[in-house]
Amino acid sequence: MKSYTILSLLSLFVILQNCLFPLGNKAIKTTSPAANYANYCAGCHGTYLEDFADRDWQYGDSRDEVFAAIKYGNDDDGMPAYDTTFTDKEIYELTDYILNNATRIATSQSHETPALSDVIRSRDLAFRLDTVVSGLDIPWGLEFLPNGDMLITERSGILYRWSGINLQKINGLPMVKNKGQGGLLDVKLHPNYSENGYLYLSFSKPNPVNSKEATTAVIRAKLEANQLVNITEIFEAQPYVTTSHHYGSRIEFDNSGYLYLSVGDRGRRDDYPQMLNNQCGKIHRLHDDGSIPSDNPFVNHSTAMPSIWSYGHRNPQGLAKHPRTGDIWEHEHGPRGGDEINKIRKARNYGWPIISYGINYSGTRFTKITEKEGMEQPELQWTPSIAPCGMDFVNHERYDAWNGDILAGSLRFEYVNRCIMEGDKIVGEEKLLEGIGRVRAIEMSPDGYMYIAVEASGAVYRIVPEG
Ligand code: HEC
């Protein structure tokens, strides 16, 4: 009798759990360290433990040091603490699992990039992948000069020009804080570049008076041969913080020449994104010289930062202009689940962290709700998180069935996500190039080719339709 009561209580609990986590976003703790690793850690450190293979350990490589890193985490680096999720015994098991297996699993199981020379037949298009550049470290942003040369930012702090024959380093770059997710980030030309020669770079800027802190900043400059000249800093997000993640950092222009910049919440979920008195967790709208447009939504608000165009964002690493409507589209990383694609509109609140389809990395929840009046619903959300980075609209008839669709990169699952569009709505999805590696940047060139930059291979590829 007693066991029946327990059983029915248990099943009630399971039913309740399913109601609370309707999206399969469940935190499943098991007795197997491999399964715990897959559920709790792989999202950031890689399915095949690749982040720990041959690692240069930051917090020490002894068993106790690795244990401590997992148990207590590191707020500034973006490593969650697992002291309330796991027992010490479970944390030691995870520690041993990582220390004893990382190099072996990473080297034996890491997948090979797809056979690049072959014709790839996706659902609606056959194409080849041209390797345009290889041997980069972590390419982050791509842009095209009017003569066809390609500019590539490398997160370590280098800006390259690819001339079609060789890679040339650009001199005169600002100092960047190359730590965690920071470094040299996006690059974008002014829409009238051929007349005014302005280009823009976003980066993690160390605080000149306290090098422990950094923020997202943007410079405008001109390119003279391979030298940056006339450098002006046009934006610096307030405040500087000690964390080294969630810089956001994509730059995009709209059809009226306004510059949009995404800035992440800098890992301060509960302090910044819902407050208008700071510039983190926001999309900003600026004139091309960094000055504030007089019709920005919060210019007359006494405590708000006037650059803010929309707020309630987590870490937006994708920004692209819809080629037909001219709207600015954005995607952002959720925590564990709840990555989003949004259409960015003036003064709107996108809800982070009040509403979210995600949960904490530890498996606990920070909100019960996914919708609220006055807060925007995403056009699409990804649970589990794909960790989206880089996006652009396909805008050339050579891509035929893809024309008008969004291509977005996945850092986590290492593929390109095609969002199939009907007009202004996402109506389907397709996984392309599975196994290509962590996709960082996606950009359509002025001559109408889609380019993708991938971390692991340090390469930039061009998607060339066949036939
Ligand atoms: C939200 C992403 C995220 C998740 C989830 C996460 N980590 Fe981390 N972890 C980090 C970051 C960021 C660092 C700092 C070092 C770095 O940048 O790689 C780190 C550091 C570590 C370190 C120390 C590495 C060193 O160099 O000393 C260990 C060990 C570690 N994590 C284990 C784990 C384990 C085990 C889990 C799952 C229980 C986990 N992490 C979950 C992001 C994450």
Side-chain angles (χ1 to χ4, degrees):
M1 194 61 205
K2 223 178 176 179
S3 60
Y4 279 116
T5 323
I6 292 172
L7 258 182
S8 47
L9 268 176
L10 256 178
S11 48
L12 186 69
F13 179 71
V14 169
I15 291 166
L16 262 176
Q17 276 248 326
N18 278 322
C19 298
L20 289 173
F21 299 99
L23 303 154
N25 198 5
K26 273 179 278 183
I28 318 147
K29 200 169 97 164
T30 76
T31 51
S32 142
N36 284 340
Y37 177 85
N39 284 331
Y40 290 85
C41 323
C44 292
H45 292 295
T47 304
Y48 304 110
L49 294 139
E50 47 270 41
D51 202 27
F52 295 115
D54 306 315
R55 189 177 177 90
D56 188 4
W57 294 84
Q58 274 192 47
Y59 313 121
D61 62 357
S62 73
R63 190 168 182 254
D64 285 332
E65 285 164 325
V66 173
F67 168 88
I70 302 169
K71 180 162 177 166
Y72 304 111
N74 184 311
D75 194 33
D76 279 354
D77 286 351
M79 166 64 191
Y82 287 94
D83 52 346
T84 57
T85 311
F86 297 116
T87 62
D88 282 4
K89 180 169 169 282
E90 288 166 331
I91 296 176
Y92 272 117
E93 284 167 0
L94 271 168
T95 304
D96 294 337
Y97 174 68
I98 291 170
L99 288 176
N100 299 335
N101 296 296
T103 304
R104 183 182 54 81
I105 295 181
T107 40
S108 69
Q109 303 223 18
S110 66
H111 33 203
E112 284 174 16
T113 35
L116 295 180
S117 49
D118 295 357
V119 173
I120 298 164
R121 297 188 190 282
S122 66
R123 195 195 301 169
D124 301 316
L125 189 76
F127 61 90
R128 272 182 304 111
L129 212 53
D130 274 0
T131 307
V132 180
V133 183
S134 57
L136 298 162
D137 183 12
I138 294 185
W140 213 94
L142 297 177
E143 182 58 295
F144 302 89
L145 291 167
N147 71 353
D149 286 2
M150 181 165 55
L151 296 175
I152 308 164
T153 58
E154 200 179 80
R155 197 171 69 187
S156 62
I158 303 171
L159 178 63
Y160 286 111
R161 173 208 291 262
W162 169 251
S163 67
I165 299 163
N166 58 16
L167 271 182
Q168 301 161 12
K169 260 192 203 177
I170 307 291
N171 300 311
L173 268 87
M175 224 233 293
V176 304
K177 187 162 183 184
N178 172 27
K179 179 169 190 270
Q181 296 172 359
L184 181 64
L185 303 171
D186 211 6
V187 52
K188 191 82 194 168
L189 297 193
H190 191 287
N192 299 326
Y193 180 84
S194 39
E195 283 110 68
N196 62 29
Y198 286 133
L199 65 86
Y200 298 81
L201 289 164
S202 63
F203 61 106
S204 312
K205 180 186 173 191
N207 189 340
V209 296
N210 176 1
S211 64
K212 288 205 175 76
E213 296 180 340
T215 194
T216 306
V218 176
I219 57 160
R220 184 179 78 171
K222 292 187 179 186
L223 199 53
E224 239 168 47
N226 282 339
Q227 178 78 33
L228 281 189
V229 296
N230 294 7
I231 301 176
T232 341
E233 185 178 292
I234 64 154
F235 182 86
E236 180 194 65
Q238 296 300 330
Y240 278 90
V241 268
T242 52
T243 54
S244 38
H245 55 301
H246 298 187
Y247 288 98
S249 242
R250 291 290 175 191
I251 306 169
E252 185 59 288
F253 283 91
D254 72 6
N255 287 335
S256 310
Y258 292 108
L259 182 158
Y260 295 79
L261 171 73
S262 68
V263 179
D265 72 1
R266 304 305 322 290
R268 296 286 158 84
R269 178 187 81 191
D270 300 320
D271 302 335
Y272 298 148
Q274 288 295 319
M275 303 285 288
L276 297 174
N277 63 356
N278 70 83
Q279 292 171 308
C280 307
K282 313 289 184 323
I283 308 290
H284 300 279
R285 177 178 180 253
L286 307 169
H287 284 302
D288 61 2
D289 62 355
S291 62
I292 307 289
S294 58
D295 60 343
N296 265 12
F298 301 109
V299 282
N300 296 320
H301 188 297
S302 62
T303 56
M305 294 294 208
S307 59
I308 298 173
W309 183 251
S310 67
Y311 64 110
H313 299 288
R314 187 170 180 274
N315 189 25
Q317 292 190 328
L319 216 52
K321 183 181 73 178
H322 190 296
R324 275 169 282 284
T325 65
D327 289 334
I328 300 295
W329 287 59
E330 171 256 22
H331 65 48
E332 63 185 63
H333 296 269
R336 184 165 161 177
D339 297 349
E340 301 180 348
I341 295 193
N342 294 300
K343 207 191 294 178
I344 296 303
R345 281 175 284 202
K346 180 177 183 175
R348 299 291 174 94
N349 180 353
Y350 288 80
W352 172 253
I354 308 294
I355 57 172
S356 173
Y357 291 90
I359 59 174
N360 284 319
Y361 292 112
S362 63
T364 57
R365 286 150 48 97
F366 53 88
T367 180
K368 288 195 175 64
I369 54 172
T370 55
E371 295 180 28
K372 191 173 173 168
E373 215 187 311
M375 296 186 184
E376 301 304 302
Q377 279 298 302
E379 299 296 317
L380 178 77
Q381 65 97 1
W382 285 291
T383 302
S385 292
I386 70 163
C389 196
M391 76 187 285
D392 209 351
F393 287 86
V394 180
N395 185 27
H396 199 282
E397 59 213 19
R398 72 161 55 91
Y399 291 98
D400 196 20
W402 290 5
N403 205 2
D405 294 348
I406 293 173
L407 298 189
S410 165
L411 291 167
R412 165 71 178 97
F413 295 119
E414 312 195 344
Y415 69 94
V416 172
N417 195 85
R418 171 184 171 214
C419 298
I420 303 168
M421 306 284 290
E422 250 167 41
D424 209 20
K425 286 269 161 270
I426 300 172
V427 296
E429 288 179 88
E430 180 186 7
K431 286 184 181 156
L432 303 169
L433 296 168
E434 283 182 85
I436 185 81
R438 289 164 58 83
V439 179
R440 253 307 158 198
I442 298 195
E443 215 65 53
M444 172 137 250
S445 64
D447 63 344
Y449 281 101
M450 295 302 296
Y451 285 75
I452 60 178
V454 177
E455 282 191 2
S457 48
V460 178
Y461 302 105
R462 183 167 72 147
I463 300 179
V464 184
E466 269 290 302

